[in-house]
Amino acid sequence: MADSTPYALSQLFSNLIDRRVSVVEASKQEATTCRKSYASYDVVGRNEKIFLQIDFDLLCSLGGALAGMPDAVIRQNLKAIPFDETLRDAMHEILNIVSAVITTEGRAILKMMELDENKGRALAQHFAQTTPHFISRFQTAIPNYSGGQIEVLFPI
């Protein structure tokens, strides 16, 4: 399974939110320990899954920017209970659109987005234990928004 590239992710995010998004290879860096969001993708015709972990603040920034929200509004919406539906939908859309560049072999389809840290961590652990995989990690920066890491687990 061939993985995505920093360039493909940078172009995708930059075009989506209409601002320069920098994505660099970070596989040699330690994984961040902050709150994560999780996504699972099926690869059409290959009977394979790809699992993605993304720093929660980064996904919020990408989703909020897609929805036209400044960073301060995103942070305010995160304090609301229940979680702001517009922001949640935009975050889901970001993960859905990432499917276009997450792999260069086959077509990936978003099957699940998990924002609950405990459930997502359990899903990631299950994937890691049951699927031989390799990890690609990317560091992402967005001017005037929170950045963070994207970690993609690809089957071997």
Side-chain angles (χ1 to χ4, degrees), residues 44-75:
V44 176
R46 295 183 67 100
N47 196 28
E48 294 177 331
K49 293 191 179 306
I50 297 172
F51 197 82
L52 181 138
Q53 299 176 146
I54 181 170
D55 290 353
F56 181 76
D57 284 351
L58 171 59
L59 183 57
C60 290
S61 292
L62 290 167
L66 179 65
M69 298 176 186
D71 191 59
V73 172
I74 296 168
R75 302 297 145 219

PDB file of all heavy atoms in Angstrom, residues 44-75:
ATOM      1  N   VAL A  44     -11.211   0.476  -1.598  1.00  0.00           N
ATOM      2  CA  VAL A  44     -12.087  -0.223  -2.531  1.00  0.00           C
ATOM      3  C   VAL A  44     -11.303  -1.273  -3.314  1.00  0.00           C
ATOM      4  O   VAL A  44     -10.219  -1.012  -3.837  1.00  0.00           O
ATOM      5  CB  VAL A  44     -12.745   0.777  -3.512  1.00  0.00           C
ATOM      6  CG1 VAL A  44     -13.578   0.050  -4.561  1.00  0.00           C
ATOM      7  CG2 VAL A  44     -13.600   1.776  -2.761  1.00  0.00           C
ATOM      8  N   GLY A  45     -11.868  -2.489  -3.348  1.00  0.00           N
ATOM      9  CA  GLY A  45     -11.302  -3.564  -4.135  1.00  0.00           C
ATOM     10  C   GLY A  45     -10.049  -4.205  -3.560  1.00  0.00           C
ATOM     11  O   GLY A  45      -9.462  -5.073  -4.189  1.00  0.00           O
ATOM     12  N   ARG A  46      -9.616  -3.807  -2.382  1.00  0.00           N
ATOM     13  CA  ARG A  46      -8.376  -4.341  -1.824  1.00  0.00           C
ATOM     14  C   ARG A  46      -8.589  -5.035  -0.473  1.00  0.00           C
ATOM     15  O   ARG A  46      -7.650  -5.557   0.097  1.00  0.00           O
ATOM     16  CB  ARG A  46      -7.344  -3.241  -1.674  1.00  0.00           C
ATOM     17  CG  ARG A  46      -6.918  -2.679  -3.022  1.00  0.00           C
ATOM     18  CD  ARG A  46      -5.846  -1.650  -2.853  1.00  0.00           C
ATOM     19  NE  ARG A  46      -4.613  -2.224  -2.369  1.00  0.00           N
ATOM     20  CZ  ARG A  46      -3.573  -2.528  -3.122  1.00  0.00           C
ATOM     21  NH1 ARG A  46      -3.632  -2.340  -4.420  1.00  0.00           N
ATOM     22  NH2 ARG A  46      -2.476  -3.013  -2.598  1.00  0.00           N
ATOM     23  N   ASN A  47      -9.796  -4.996   0.061  1.00  0.00           N
ATOM     24  CA  ASN A  47     -10.083  -5.604   1.362  1.00  0.00           C
ATOM     25  C   ASN A  47      -9.056  -5.155   2.404  1.00  0.00           C
ATOM     26  O   ASN A  47      -8.535  -5.964   3.163  1.00  0.00           O
ATOM     27  CB  ASN A  47     -10.128  -7.135   1.253  1.00  0.00           C
ATOM     28  CG  ASN A  47     -10.791  -7.743   2.476  1.00  0.00           C
ATOM     29  OD1 ASN A  47     -11.627  -7.117   3.115  1.00  0.00           O
ATOM     30  ND2 ASN A  47     -10.408  -8.960   2.801  1.00  0.00           N
ATOM     31  N   GLU A  48      -8.735  -3.865   2.389  1.00  0.00           N
ATOM     32  CA  GLU A  48      -7.782  -3.284   3.331  1.00  0.00           C
ATOM     33  C   GLU A  48      -8.398  -2.072   3.998  1.00  0.00           C
ATOM     34  O   GLU A  48      -9.278  -1.421   3.440  1.00  0.00           O
ATOM     35  CB  GLU A  48      -6.498  -2.854   2.616  1.00  0.00           C
ATOM     36  CG  GLU A  48      -5.707  -3.996   2.053  1.00  0.00           C
ATOM     37  CD  GLU A  48      -4.480  -3.533   1.293  1.00  0.00           C
ATOM     38  OE1 GLU A  48      -4.484  -2.429   0.729  1.00  0.00           O
ATOM     39  OE2 GLU A  48      -3.517  -4.307   1.255  1.00  0.00           O
ATOM     40  N   LYS A  49      -7.905  -1.779   5.190  1.00  0.00           N
ATOM     41  CA  LYS A  49      -8.326  -0.598   5.925  1.00  0.00           C
ATOM     42  C   LYS A  49      -7.114   0.287   6.173  1.00  0.00           C
ATOM     43  O   LYS A  49      -5.997  -0.198   6.303  1.00  0.00           O
ATOM     44  CB  LYS A  49      -8.943  -0.984   7.261  1.00  0.00           C
ATOM     45  CG  LYS A  49     -10.256  -1.719   7.124  1.00  0.00           C
ATOM     46  CD  LYS A  49     -10.935  -1.836   8.472  1.00  0.00           C
ATOM     47  CE  LYS A  49     -12.264  -2.539   8.378  1.00  0.00           C
ATOM     48  NZ  LYS A  49     -13.199  -1.997   7.444  1.00  0.00           N
ATOM     49  N   ILE A  50      -7.368   1.575   6.231  1.00  0.00           N
ATOM     50  CA  ILE A  50      -6.363   2.560   6.621  1.00  0.00           C
ATOM     51  C   ILE A  50      -6.932   3.255   7.850  1.00  0.00           C
ATOM     52  O   ILE A  50      -8.121   3.578   7.899  1.00  0.00           O
ATOM     53  CB  ILE A  50      -6.107   3.579   5.493  1.00  0.00           C
ATOM     54  CG1 ILE A  50      -5.531   2.882   4.263  1.00  0.00           C
ATOM     55  CG2 ILE A  50      -5.188   4.701   5.964  1.00  0.00           C
ATOM     56  CD1 ILE A  50      -5.423   3.778   3.037  1.00  0.00           C
ATOM     57  N   PHE A  51      -6.085   3.475   8.830  1.00  0.00           N
ATOM     58  CA  PHE A  51      -6.535   4.122  10.056  1.00  0.00           C
ATOM     59  C   PHE A  51      -5.765   5.421  10.223  1.00  0.00           C
ATOM     60  O   PHE A  51      -4.547   5.470  10.010  1.00  0.00           O
ATOM     61  CB  PHE A  51      -6.287   3.198  11.255  1.00  0.00           C
ATOM     62  CG  PHE A  51      -7.058   3.586  12.470  1.00  0.00           C
ATOM     63  CD1 PHE A  51      -8.384   3.211  12.602  1.00  0.00           C
ATOM     64  CD2 PHE A  51      -6.473   4.338  13.465  1.00  0.00           C
ATOM     65  CE1 PHE A  51      -9.110   3.585  13.713  1.00  0.00           C
ATOM     66  CE2 PHE A  51      -7.192   4.716  14.579  1.00  0.00           C
ATOM     67  CZ  PHE A  51      -8.512   4.332  14.710  1.00  0.00           C
ATOM     68  N   LEU A  52      -6.469   6.494  10.582  1.00  0.00           N
ATOM     69  CA  LEU A  52      -5.864   7.810  10.708  1.00  0.00           C
ATOM     70  C   LEU A  52      -6.092   8.349  12.111  1.00  0.00           C
ATOM     71  O   LEU A  52      -7.191   8.236  12.645  1.00  0.00           O
ATOM     72  CB  LEU A  52      -6.483   8.750   9.670  1.00  0.00           C
ATOM     73  CG  LEU A  52      -5.971  10.181   9.620  1.00  0.00           C
ATOM     74  CD1 LEU A  52      -5.808  10.607   8.172  1.00  0.00           C
ATOM     75  CD2 LEU A  52      -6.907  11.121  10.331  1.00  0.00           C
ATOM     76  N   GLN A  53      -5.037   8.899  12.696  1.00  0.00           N
ATOM     77  CA  GLN A  53      -5.122   9.642  13.950  1.00  0.00           C
ATOM     78  C   GLN A  53      -4.678  11.061  13.639  1.00  0.00           C
ATOM     79  O   GLN A  53      -3.652  11.268  12.990  1.00  0.00           O
ATOM     80  CB  GLN A  53      -4.182   9.050  15.010  1.00  0.00           C
ATOM     81  CG  GLN A  53      -4.496   7.636  15.347  1.00  0.00           C
ATOM     82  CD  GLN A  53      -3.505   7.032  16.328  1.00  0.00           C
ATOM     83  OE1 GLN A  53      -3.894   6.231  17.121  1.00  0.00           O
ATOM     84  NE2 GLN A  53      -2.229   7.399  16.286  1.00  0.00           N
ATOM     85  N   ILE A  54      -5.449  12.040  14.090  1.00  0.00           N
ATOM     86  CA  ILE A  54      -5.111  13.439  13.836  1.00  0.00           C
ATOM     87  C   ILE A  54      -5.315  14.208  15.127  1.00  0.00           C
ATOM     88  O   ILE A  54      -6.278  13.965  15.858  1.00  0.00           O
ATOM     89  CB  ILE A  54      -5.972  14.011  12.675  1.00  0.00           C
ATOM     90  CG1 ILE A  54      -5.615  15.463  12.374  1.00  0.00           C
ATOM     91  CG2 ILE A  54      -7.446  13.829  12.922  1.00  0.00           C
ATOM     92  CD1 ILE A  54      -6.260  16.013  11.092  1.00  0.00           C
ATOM     93  N   ASP A  55      -4.389  15.104  15.426  1.00  0.00           N
ATOM     94  CA  ASP A  55      -4.554  15.920  16.616  1.00  0.00           C
ATOM     95  C   ASP A  55      -5.901  16.645  16.545  1.00  0.00           C
ATOM     96  O   ASP A  55      -6.247  17.237  15.507  1.00  0.00           O
ATOM     97  CB  ASP A  55      -3.420  16.936  16.749  1.00  0.00           C
ATOM     98  CG  ASP A  55      -2.079  16.296  17.092  1.00  0.00           C
ATOM     99  OD1 ASP A  55      -2.036  15.074  17.357  1.00  0.00           O
ATOM    100  OD2 ASP A  55      -1.071  17.030  17.088  1.00  0.00           O
ATOM    101  N   PHE A  56      -6.641  16.559  17.626  1.00  0.00           N
ATOM    102  CA  PHE A  56      -7.993  17.121  17.674  1.00  0.00           C
ATOM    103  C   PHE A  56      -7.990  18.604  17.304  1.00  0.00           C
ATOM    104  O   PHE A  56      -8.827  19.055  16.515  1.00  0.00           O
ATOM    105  CB  PHE A  56      -8.584  16.904  19.075  1.00  0.00           C
ATOM    106  CG  PHE A  56      -9.979  17.423  19.231  1.00  0.00           C
ATOM    107  CD1 PHE A  56     -11.053  16.730  18.696  1.00  0.00           C
ATOM    108  CD2 PHE A  56     -10.217  18.600  19.929  1.00  0.00           C
ATOM    109  CE1 PHE A  56     -12.346  17.208  18.844  1.00  0.00           C
ATOM    110  CE2 PHE A  56     -11.505  19.073  20.080  1.00  0.00           C
ATOM    111  CZ  PHE A  56     -12.580  18.382  19.540  1.00  0.00           C
ATOM    112  N   ASP A  57      -7.044  19.366  17.875  1.00  0.00           N
ATOM    113  CA  ASP A  57      -7.005  20.804  17.574  1.00  0.00           C
ATOM    114  C   ASP A  57      -6.741  21.075  16.101  1.00  0.00           C
ATOM    115  O   ASP A  57      -7.281  22.022  15.526  1.00  0.00           O
ATOM    116  CB  ASP A  57      -5.950  21.506  18.430  1.00  0.00           C
ATOM    117  CG  ASP A  57      -6.404  21.699  19.873  1.00  0.00           C
ATOM    118  OD1 ASP A  57      -7.590  21.454  20.181  1.00  0.00           O
ATOM    119  OD2 ASP A  57      -5.561  22.106  20.697  1.00  0.00           O
ATOM    120  N   LEU A  58      -5.914  20.254  15.464  1.00  0.00           N
ATOM    121  CA  LEU A  58      -5.656  20.412  14.034  1.00  0.00           C
ATOM    122  C   LEU A  58      -6.919  20.143  13.228  1.00  0.00           C
ATOM    123  O   LEU A  58      -7.266  20.923  12.331  1.00  0.00           O
ATOM    124  CB  LEU A  58      -4.533  19.476  13.582  1.00  0.00           C
ATOM    125  CG  LEU A  58      -4.290  19.380  12.068  1.00  0.00           C
ATOM    126  CD1 LEU A  58      -3.953  20.736  11.470  1.00  0.00           C
ATOM    127  CD2 LEU A  58      -3.197  18.363  11.777  1.00  0.00           C
ATOM    128  N   LEU A  59      -7.620  19.064  13.540  1.00  0.00           N
ATOM    129  CA  LEU A  59      -8.859  18.768  12.815  1.00  0.00           C
ATOM    130  C   LEU A  59      -9.889  19.870  13.028  1.00  0.00           C
ATOM    131  O   LEU A  59     -10.579  20.267  12.082  1.00  0.00           O
ATOM    132  CB  LEU A  59      -9.428  17.408  13.230  1.00  0.00           C
ATOM    133  CG  LEU A  59     -10.683  16.961  12.491  1.00  0.00           C
ATOM    134  CD1 LEU A  59     -10.451  16.904  10.979  1.00  0.00           C
ATOM    135  CD2 LEU A  59     -11.151  15.609  13.017  1.00  0.00           C
ATOM    136  N   CYS A  60      -9.969  20.404  14.244  1.00  0.00           N
ATOM    137  CA  CYS A  60     -10.880  21.527  14.510  1.00  0.00           C
ATOM    138  C   CYS A  60     -10.496  22.748  13.681  1.00  0.00           C
ATOM    139  O   CYS A  60     -11.363  23.423  13.120  1.00  0.00           O
ATOM    140  CB  CYS A  60     -10.870  21.879  15.996  1.00  0.00           C
ATOM    141  SG  CYS A  60     -11.649  20.664  17.062  1.00  0.00           S
ATOM    142  N   SER A  61      -9.195  23.025  13.598  1.00  0.00           N
ATOM    143  CA  SER A  61      -8.730  24.166  12.808  1.00  0.00           C
ATOM    144  C   SER A  61      -9.069  24.000  11.334  1.00  0.00           C
ATOM    145  O   SER A  61      -9.572  24.923  10.692  1.00  0.00           O
ATOM    146  CB  SER A  61      -7.212  24.336  12.956  1.00  0.00           C
ATOM    147  OG  SER A  61      -6.879  24.727  14.257  1.00  0.00           O
ATOM    148  N   LEU A  62      -8.800  22.809  10.780  1.00  0.00           N
ATOM    149  CA  LEU A  62      -9.115  22.562   9.370  1.00  0.00           C
ATOM    150  C   LEU A  62     -10.620  22.650   9.117  1.00  0.00           C
ATOM    151  O   LEU A  62     -11.059  23.280   8.153  1.00  0.00           O
ATOM    152  CB  LEU A  62      -8.576  21.196   8.944  1.00  0.00           C
ATOM    153  CG  LEU A  62      -7.067  21.076   8.837  1.00  0.00           C
ATOM    154  CD1 LEU A  62      -6.644  19.610   8.731  1.00  0.00           C
ATOM    155  CD2 LEU A  62      -6.544  21.878   7.658  1.00  0.00           C
ATOM    156  N   GLY A  63     -11.400  22.028   9.981  1.00  0.00           N
ATOM    157  CA  GLY A  63     -12.856  22.073   9.827  1.00  0.00           C
ATOM    158  C   GLY A  63     -13.397  23.483   9.986  1.00  0.00           C
ATOM    159  O   GLY A  63     -14.240  23.932   9.205  1.00  0.00           O
ATOM    160  N   GLY A  64     -12.910  24.190  11.009  1.00  0.00           N
ATOM    161  CA  GLY A  64     -13.370  25.559  11.233  1.00  0.00           C
ATOM    162  C   GLY A  64     -13.005  26.474  10.081  1.00  0.00           C
ATOM    163  O   GLY A  64     -13.815  27.291   9.637  1.00  0.00           O
ATOM    164  N   ALA A  65     -11.780  26.350   9.573  1.00  0.00           N
ATOM    165  CA  ALA A  65     -11.366  27.170   8.433  1.00  0.00           C
ATOM    166  C   ALA A  65     -12.216  26.846   7.207  1.00  0.00           C
ATOM    167  O   ALA A  65     -12.599  27.746   6.454  1.00  0.00           O
ATOM    168  CB  ALA A  65      -9.884  26.960   8.137  1.00  0.00           C
ATOM    169  N   LEU A  66     -12.540  25.558   7.015  1.00  0.00           N
ATOM    170  CA  LEU A  66     -13.408  25.171   5.906  1.00  0.00           C
ATOM    171  C   LEU A  66     -14.777  25.834   6.033  1.00  0.00           C
ATOM    172  O   LEU A  66     -15.370  26.263   5.037  1.00  0.00           O
ATOM    173  CB  LEU A  66     -13.560  23.646   5.853  1.00  0.00           C
ATOM    174  CG  LEU A  66     -14.463  23.082   4.753  1.00  0.00           C
ATOM    175  CD1 LEU A  66     -13.878  23.380   3.374  1.00  0.00           C
ATOM    176  CD2 LEU A  66     -14.662  21.589   4.944  1.00  0.00           C
ATOM    177  N   ALA A  67     -15.263  25.938   7.266  1.00  0.00           N
ATOM    178  CA  ALA A  67     -16.577  26.549   7.520  1.00  0.00           C
ATOM    179  C   ALA A  67     -16.501  28.073   7.617  1.00  0.00           C
ATOM    180  O   ALA A  67     -17.518  28.722   7.861  1.00  0.00           O
ATOM    181  CB  ALA A  67     -17.171  25.973   8.799  1.00  0.00           C
ATOM    182  N   GLY A  68     -15.304  28.639   7.436  1.00  0.00           N
ATOM    183  CA  GLY A  68     -15.150  30.094   7.460  1.00  0.00           C
ATOM    184  C   GLY A  68     -15.061  30.692   8.851  1.00  0.00           C
ATOM    185  O   GLY A  68     -15.290  31.892   9.029  1.00  0.00           O
ATOM    186  N   MET A  69     -14.705  29.905   9.843  1.00  0.00           N
ATOM    187  CA  MET A  69     -14.602  30.378  11.226  1.00  0.00           C
ATOM    188  C   MET A  69     -13.175  30.801  11.546  1.00  0.00           C
ATOM    189  O   MET A  69     -12.243  30.059  11.275  1.00  0.00           O
ATOM    190  CB  MET A  69     -14.980  29.265  12.205  1.00  0.00           C
ATOM    191  CG  MET A  69     -16.362  28.751  12.095  1.00  0.00           C
ATOM    192  SD  MET A  69     -16.568  27.364  13.273  1.00  0.00           S
ATOM    193  CE  MET A  69     -18.212  26.832  12.816  1.00  0.00           C
ATOM    194  N   PRO A  70     -13.007  31.967  12.168  1.00  0.00           N
ATOM    195  CA  PRO A  70     -11.677  32.314  12.671  1.00  0.00           C
ATOM    196  C   PRO A  70     -11.332  31.414  13.871  1.00  0.00           C
ATOM    197  O   PRO A  70     -12.215  30.822  14.491  1.00  0.00           O
ATOM    198  CB  PRO A  70     -11.802  33.768  13.105  1.00  0.00           C
ATOM    199  CG  PRO A  70     -13.202  34.172  12.874  1.00  0.00           C
ATOM    200  CD  PRO A  70     -13.964  33.021  12.338  1.00  0.00           C
ATOM    201  N   ASP A  71     -10.049  31.338  14.199  1.00  0.00           N
ATOM    202  CA  ASP A  71      -9.602  30.458  15.281  1.00  0.00           C
ATOM    203  C   ASP A  71     -10.316  30.755  16.603  1.00  0.00           C
ATOM    204  O   ASP A  71     -10.696  29.834  17.327  1.00  0.00           O
ATOM    205  CB  ASP A  71      -8.085  30.560  15.453  1.00  0.00           C
ATOM    206  CG  ASP A  71      -7.549  29.475  16.364  1.00  0.00           C
ATOM    207  OD1 ASP A  71      -7.740  28.283  16.038  1.00  0.00           O
ATOM    208  OD2 ASP A  71      -6.955  29.808  17.405  1.00  0.00           O
ATOM    209  N   ALA A  72     -10.520  32.020  16.925  1.00  0.00           N
ATOM    210  CA  ALA A  72     -11.184  32.378  18.189  1.00  0.00           C
ATOM    211  C   ALA A  72     -12.605  31.814  18.248  1.00  0.00           C
ATOM    212  O   ALA A  72     -13.054  31.352  19.302  1.00  0.00           O
ATOM    213  CB  ALA A  72     -11.201  33.893  18.364  1.00  0.00           C
ATOM    214  N   VAL A  73     -13.306  31.819  17.137  1.00  0.00           N
ATOM    215  CA  VAL A  73     -14.676  31.276  17.091  1.00  0.00           C
ATOM    216  C   VAL A  73     -14.631  29.753  17.242  1.00  0.00           C
ATOM    217  O   VAL A  73     -15.470  29.172  17.935  1.00  0.00           O
ATOM    218  CB  VAL A  73     -15.389  31.690  15.785  1.00  0.00           C
ATOM    219  CG1 VAL A  73     -16.730  30.988  15.633  1.00  0.00           C
ATOM    220  CG2 VAL A  73     -15.555  33.200  15.730  1.00  0.00           C
ATOM    221  N   ILE A  74     -13.654  29.120  16.619  1.00  0.00           N
ATOM    222  CA  ILE A  74     -13.502  27.665  16.759  1.00  0.00           C
ATOM    223  C   ILE A  74     -13.307  27.318  18.222  1.00  0.00           C
ATOM    224  O   ILE A  74     -13.981  26.433  18.762  1.00  0.00           O
ATOM    225  CB  ILE A  74     -12.303  27.147  15.935  1.00  0.00           C
ATOM    226  CG1 ILE A  74     -12.551  27.364  14.455  1.00  0.00           C
ATOM    227  CG2 ILE A  74     -12.050  25.665  16.233  1.00  0.00           C
ATOM    228  CD1 ILE A  74     -11.313  27.159  13.582  1.00  0.00           C
ATOM    229  N   ARG A  75     -12.375  27.992  18.894  1.00  0.00           N
ATOM    230  CA  ARG A  75     -12.093  27.709  20.312  1.00  0.00           C
ATOM    231  C   ARG A  75     -13.330  27.930  21.172  1.00  0.00           C
ATOM    232  O   ARG A  75     -13.582  27.185  22.112  1.00  0.00           O
ATOM    233  CB  ARG A  75     -10.930  28.571  20.822  1.00  0.00           C
ATOM    234  CG  ARG A  75      -9.654  28.399  20.053  1.00  0.00           C
ATOM    235  CD  ARG A  75      -9.058  26.998  20.132  1.00  0.00           C
ATOM    236  NE  ARG A  75      -8.440  26.681  18.855  1.00  0.00           N
ATOM    237  CZ  ARG A  75      -8.479  25.506  18.269  1.00  0.00           C
ATOM    238  NH1 ARG A  75      -9.090  24.499  18.823  1.00  0.00           N
ATOM    239  NH2 ARG A  75      -7.915  25.304  17.114  1.00  0.00           N
TER     240      ARG A  75
END
